């Protein structure tokens, strides 16, 4: 699939090696290796096992748990590639850590999303790619070209698959935003589902403190509906489980949680397992933007891959083709399939 293979090297660091391998398999190239060493005090040394001189580099690393170590590993790798005379360094960060700190919510707070962007640029990144970054305005923090890809088509395809497999009437399926801030994300998914879902509901909530939210109301007709909550990330899981409970209390037939980034920190696994066993949630679907450790997985969790999306974007980028066209072409395919399901129920 990939043209000019000899001049492109794709690397996967500790938190991106599995996704990098999937992308390389799709593109038909061999994943390049780095040697990572740690000194006794925790210092990291990274060295490419292949020459990178004059090559275009794609280095894949999610800055997820352990966040600070993952970021430092990425910065050191970029520096190593730059000092190895790489022609261009593309940094692919499926999950961009520190993006939640994108503004000063109150005095004397940092804006770490900007800080990390500066560190990546200073280290030598020529371009940065992310997936569903928490706050889109963070794109403006970069002084190098930056692309933020959306998983709307990936999540929409999985939702369509679920509705078709269950033979549900689209009129009884609804998308739900866990808060007002997530409405744009839900509308993106709806633009792909093509009528297979019937409208959008939104949950009103307030955050008394970080990682804690209280549901105040549900706006929308969700009674006897198959509800699909769409969120960007699941961290400790408390907020989204409370949202699922609120939907069930107001008469939802069942609740399905869909999110791009599955962090599952702290008590998240236990909360998800409890919600599934108590029939509050039917399933939890996340993408593989985060390389999830086995001990964080649970029954009822489904992980879908963003490798096809990233592979297409990398291929188009190398070929100097429009990335927007990749979205548009895929959108038409998904839309046509959704319309087929809708029309089946109209007959």
């Amino acid at each position: 699939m990939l043209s000019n293979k000899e001049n492109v090297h794709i690397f996967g660091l500790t938190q991106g090696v599995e996704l990098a391998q999937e992308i390389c398999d799709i593109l038909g190239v061999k994943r390049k290796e780095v040697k990572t060493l740690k000194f006794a005090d925790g210092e990291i040394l990274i060295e490419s096992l292949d020459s990178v001189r004059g090559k275009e580099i794609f280095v894949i690393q999610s800055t997820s748990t352990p966040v600070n170590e993952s970021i430092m590993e990425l910065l050191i790798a970029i520096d190593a590639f730059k000092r190895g005379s790489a022609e261009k360094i593309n940094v692919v960060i499926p999950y961009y850590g520190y993006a939640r700190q994108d503004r000063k919510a109150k005095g004397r707070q940092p804006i770490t999303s900007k800080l990390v962007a500066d560190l990546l640029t200073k280290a030598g990144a020529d371009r940065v790619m992310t997936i569903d970054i928490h706050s889109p305005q963070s794109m403006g923090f970069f002084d190098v070209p930056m692309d933020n890809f959306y998983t709307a088509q990936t999540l929409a395809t999985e939702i369509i698959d679920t509705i078709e497999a269950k033979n549900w009437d689209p009129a009884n399926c609804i998308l739900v935003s866990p808060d007002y801030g997530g409405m744009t994300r839900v509308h993106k998914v709806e633009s792909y589902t093509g009528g297979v879902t019937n409208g959008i509901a939104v949950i009103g909530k307030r955050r008394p403190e970080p990682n804690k939210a209280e549901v105040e109301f549900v706006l929308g007709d969700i009674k006897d509906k198959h509800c699909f909550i769409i969120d960007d990330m699941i961290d400790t899981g408390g907020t989204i489980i409370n949202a699922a409970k609120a939907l069930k209390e107001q008469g939802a037939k069942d609740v399905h949680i869909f999110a791009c980034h599955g962090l599952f920190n702290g008590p998240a696994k236990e909360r998800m397992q409890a919600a599934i066993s108590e029939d509050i949630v039917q399933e939890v679907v996340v993408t593989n933007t985060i390389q999830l450790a086995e001990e964080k997985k649970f029954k009822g969790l489904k992980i879908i891959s963003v490798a096809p999306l990233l592979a297409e974007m990398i291929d188009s980028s190398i070929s100097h083709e429009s990335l927007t066209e990749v979205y548009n072409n895929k959108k038409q395919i998904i839309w046509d399939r959704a319309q087929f399901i809708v029309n089946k129920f109209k007959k």
Side-chain angles (χ1 to χ4, degrees):
M1 180 179 177
L2 188 65
S3 59
N4 201 18
K5 295 179 181 180
E6 296 301 318
N7 289 326
V8 177
H9 283 184
I10 299 176
F11 294 88
L13 301 183
T14 303
Q15 299 301 324
V17 64
E18 293 178 4
L19 182 55
Q21 186 60 58
E22 281 191 56
I23 292 169
C24 288
D25 289 343
I26 293 171
L27 295 176
V29 298
K30 183 179 179 181
R31 177 174 57 85
K32 300 301 180 180
E33 302 280 351
V34 293
K35 181 171 68 175
T36 303
L37 298 175
K38 284 188 179 180
F39 295 99
D41 63 353
E43 284 188 20
I44 301 171
L45 172 64
I46 294 178
E47 176 187 349
S48 172
L49 299 182
D50 296 276
S51 172
V52 297
R53 185 176 297 276
K55 307 296 184 182
E56 180 166 3
I57 304 298
F58 286 85
V59 54
I60 299 167
Q61 170 85 326
S62 279
T63 51
S64 51
T65 306
V67 179
N68 298 331
E69 185 172 311
S70 299
I71 291 174
M72 200 64 204
E73 182 185 5
L74 178 57
L75 295 173
I76 293 169
I78 295 170
D79 187 70
F81 296 141
K82 180 177 70 174
R83 296 181 189 279
S85 299
E87 182 177 322
K88 184 178 181 181
I89 302 173
N90 301 276
V91 179
V92 183
I93 310 176
Y95 171 70
Y96 184 86
Y98 281 110
R100 284 174 283 187
Q101 299 181 49
D102 62 336
R103 69 197 187 285
K104 288 180 66 174
K106 58 183 180 180
R108 299 183 298 281
Q109 286 190 342
I111 304 179
T112 49
S113 184
K114 166 63 172 170
L115 173 61
V116 173
D118 288 344
L119 290 171
L120 292 167
T121 304
K122 186 64 177 177
D126 296 300
R127 185 182 181 188
V128 175
M129 301 177 182
T130 62
I131 294 182
D132 274 349
I133 195 167
H134 181 71
S135 188
Q137 65 256 32
S138 295
M139 296 170 68
F141 293 157
F142 291 84
D143 295 326
V144 295
M146 192 274 193
D147 292 297
N148 179 49
F149 305 135
Y150 295 97
T151 56
Q153 60 178 232
T154 306
L155 298 180
T157 299
E158 184 63 25
I159 290 171
I160 292 170
D161 286 346
T162 301
I163 293 172
E164 185 177 32
K166 301 285 187 180
N167 199 34
W168 287 337
D169 186 344
N172 296 326
C173 301
I174 188 170
L175 301 180
V176 180
S177 176
D179 51 41
Y180 283 108
M183 288 293 288
T184 300
R185 183 179 307 107
V186 177
H187 278 300
K188 285 183 184 294
V189 174
E190 186 188 40
S191 72
Y192 285 93
T193 53
V196 169
T197 54
N198 183 21
I200 294 174
V202 62
I203 296 172
K205 67 183 183 184
R206 68 183 187 91
R207 287 189 177 274
E209 58 186 79
N211 287 125
K212 185 176 181 181
E214 297 174 355
V215 174
E216 295 184 314
F217 59 87
V218 177
L219 184 61
D221 180 15
I222 51 90
K223 185 173 176 57
D224 296 324
K225 298 289 181 65
H226 305 288
C227 297
F228 295 88
I229 302 178
I230 311 295
D231 209 349
D232 66 331
M233 70 173 69
I234 302 173
D235 192 352
T236 60
T239 300
I240 204 159
I241 292 300
N242 286 339
K245 288 178 179 177
L247 293 175
K248 290 288 285 186
E249 287 169 0
Q250 296 203 19
K253 192 173 185 65
D254 48 53
V255 178
H256 306 255
I257 294 175
F258 280 67
C260 177
H261 310 296
L263 282 71
F264 300 121
N265 292 316
K269 177 179 178 177
E270 289 72 24
R271 285 171 171 171
M272 295 294 155
Q273 287 180 324
I276 290 171
S277 64
E278 295 168 12
D279 203 32
I280 295 169
V281 174
Q282 297 300 305
E283 64 175 342
V284 178
V285 178
V286 298
T287 74
N288 61 343
T289 54
I290 291 174
Q291 195 167 283
L292 202 61
E294 285 298 320
E295 59 267 22
K296 289 189 175 185
K297 296 178 182 178
F298 51 89
K299 186 178 180 180
L301 172 68
K302 184 174 183 178
I303 301 174
I304 56 179
S305 182
V306 295
L309 169 66
L310 285 174
E312 283 187 285
M313 292 305 182
I314 290 173
D315 187 40
S316 297
S317 176
I318 293 168
S319 303
H320 305 293
E321 297 175 354
S322 170
L323 302 187
T324 301
E325 286 302 311
V326 174
Y327 276 115
N328 291 341
N329 293 338
K330 187 71 172 178
K331 182 175 183 178
Q332 189 60 51
I333 295 171
I334 299 172
W335 179 270
D336 289 344
R337 180 161 167 251
Q339 284 300 303
F340 173 79
I341 297 171
V342 172
N343 292 332
K344 183 175 68 173
F345 272 90
K346 285 182 179 179
K347 292 180 181 179

